[in-house]
Amino acid sequence: MTTIEIRRVDPLDEALLRAWWETGHTAFAERPYDVDEPWSVSRVSLRQPNPDLVQVLLGAFDPGGAMVGSASAKMPQRENPHLVYGTVSVPPDHRRRGIGSRLLAAVEDIGRQEGRSVLLVEAAAPLTQESPGTLFGAARGFAVGNLEEVKVLDLVASEPAWDACEQEAHAARGDYRLVTWGTSTPAEHVQGFCDLLGVFFSNVPLGEVPLEDMVWTPERLRAYEDRLCETGFEEFTAAVVAPDGSLVGVSDVGLLPQEPEKAEVGITLVLPEHRGHRLGMAMKLATHRALRAAYPQCRIVVTANAGANAHMNAVNERLGYRVVERLPELKKDL
């Protein structure tokens, strides 16, 4: 059996970091849509100082020095100190050799050394069958903590129906009003946006995934936006203002201008006491229209949300999103 060495990857080593990214990208090439972070983003984001997250990158190397597997351990630093988010990626040509098991063991060791008690890993799978990732997780003691679905919207095909959707949303909206902005939140909405972000996890289906809400301050939000701008990522955001002037909903979609054919939804949230007014649909229409106006060459939007999220699923289905993949969130106690 070939000797495999597991080593940490220094994100400042450009060649090694590129090999790490390419290994993961190759491992997931079989997915129906490329939802991985582009190299142009990863080469920046993986080097950015981030007080909210400590991450360790790992590579599996064969005797010739070639990287044949990659992994990561990401540990939140402010909230959720019990968690470690893991990834394990092995390209098809190198599977069934114990490489994934070695990488997973290294991720688990890092989590334990850092005092983490729960490991979370996503494992994409086709709609009607298991995948190498879900089978690997089940064989190594993971349980399904939550089941998300990856959905895709064909912008060109769906756009003719937007006017009718907008009429429905407008008729139900009442005295609520929409506001929109780009990547940087206007000063007058910063605190309201922070308040919404601070209750996000409490208001979306999490299944058995033990996530605590995060405390968002204006300084934390601005630091996040600065990191986003450094990667070149551009966002289109819509929010809902209630009659009393408070923000009660938010949705965003974003893309990388160098790769404008594909965009992705970040978050969508309407506070429970304000649901039933088609506010989610109104916000998504606003962001999607802004996206199309700025980048008419954009063809698809990708999103993921829990299969149990009935409100969001109804909005997505009405707009024309279709489910293309399952995305189980796997959980393991360390």
Side-chain angles (χ1 to χ4, degrees):
M1 183 176 178
T2 303
T3 301
I4 299 295
E5 183 181 5
I6 308 298
R7 300 200 305 263
R8 294 197 177 198
V9 172
D10 181 359
L12 297 180
D13 185 324
E14 177 97 2
L16 203 55
L17 184 64
R18 180 64 189 251
W20 182 91
W21 179 87
E22 288 181 346
T23 300
H25 198 71
T26 302
F28 295 115
E30 58 207 21
R31 297 180 66 176
Y33 288 87
D34 183 1
V35 297
D36 283 350
E37 189 175 76
W39 164 244
S40 60
V41 173
S42 291
R43 71 185 299 270
V44 177
S45 66
L46 293 172
R47 295 169 172 171
Q48 288 175 321
N50 185 349
D52 295 337
L53 192 73
V54 167
Q55 56 187 350
V56 177
L57 309 182
L58 300 169
F61 298 85
D62 68 15
M67 195 179 299
V68 293
S70 62
S72 67
K74 300 181 180 181
M75 291 155 286
Q77 295 300 291
R78 301 190 190 185
E79 300 85 10
N80 297 295
H82 57 295
L83 293 181
V84 52
Y85 297 97
T87 65
V88 175
S89 306
V90 180
D93 290 348
H94 300 292
R95 291 173 186 165
R96 313 297 299 177
R97 296 166 53 192
I99 297 170
S101 297
R102 292 276 308 280
L103 286 166
L104 176 61
V107 170
E108 293 177 356
D109 286 344
I110 290 169
R112 294 188 187 98
Q113 290 164 12
E114 295 297 324
R116 309 295 163 134
S117 58
V118 178
L119 171 60
L120 297 178
V121 178
E122 290 183 341
L127 297 178
T128 58
Q129 64 188 67
E130 299 302 321
S131 69
T134 57
L135 294 171
F136 177 83
R140 283 151 187 83
F142 284 86
V144 176
N146 196 21
L147 181 58
E148 297 221 334
E149 298 170 338
V150 178
K151 301 171 182 179
V152 169
L153 178 69
D154 183 323
L155 285 172
V156 176
S158 67
E159 193 170 16
W162 290 0
D163 285 346
C165 291
E166 198 152 44
Q167 289 173 7
E168 294 175 19
H170 183 76
R173 198 164 75 205
D175 294 330
Y176 294 90
R177 62 184 176 90
L178 280 177
V179 293
T180 59
W181 63 81
T183 307
S184 181
T185 308
E188 65 269 26
H189 296 308
V190 165
Q191 188 57 57
F193 191 16
C194 288
D195 293 342
L196 285 173
L197 291 173
V199 297
F200 180 74
F201 289 139
S202 295
N203 286 281
V204 296
L206 296 175
E208 300 300 319
V209 175
L211 281 174
E212 304 167 353
D213 278 322
M214 300 168 66
V215 177
W216 283 85
T217 63
E219 295 77 17
R220 188 176 192 175
L221 177 61
R222 291 304 193 202
Y224 167 77
E225 290 174 345
D226 288 345
R227 291 194 297 272
L228 204 62
C229 289
E230 287 175 9
T231 67
F233 202 76
E234 184 175 353
E235 285 191 333
F236 302 88
T237 305
V240 173
V241 181
D244 65 1
S246 61
L247 284 190
V248 298
V250 67
S251 183
D252 64 65
V253 64
L255 52 61
L256 196 65
Q258 303 95 299
E259 301 182 15
E261 296 81 13
K262 180 192 71 177
E264 59 186 62
V265 173
I267 65 168
T268 301
L269 172 67
V270 176
L271 295 179
E273 59 270 29
H274 298 278
R275 292 173 184 165
H277 299 278
R278 303 290 179 92
L279 302 178
M281 182 182 291
M283 291 189 297
K284 281 207 163 183
L285 282 167
T287 60
H288 289 29
R289 285 192 186 279
L291 171 69
R292 285 287 286 163
Y295 294 96
Q297 65 271 54
C298 187
R299 290 294 180 263
I300 65 168
V301 180
V302 181
T303 190
N305 61 268
N309 193 338
H311 294 285
M312 198 70 265
N313 291 337
V315 171
N316 286 333
E317 289 171 10
R318 181 68 181 89
L319 290 175
Y321 280 86
R322 58 188 179 88
V323 181
V324 298
E325 194 175 38
R326 292 184 298 124
L327 192 63
E329 295 180 281
L330 306 182
K331 169 190 167 187
K332 183 177 183 180
D333 294 331
L334 297 179

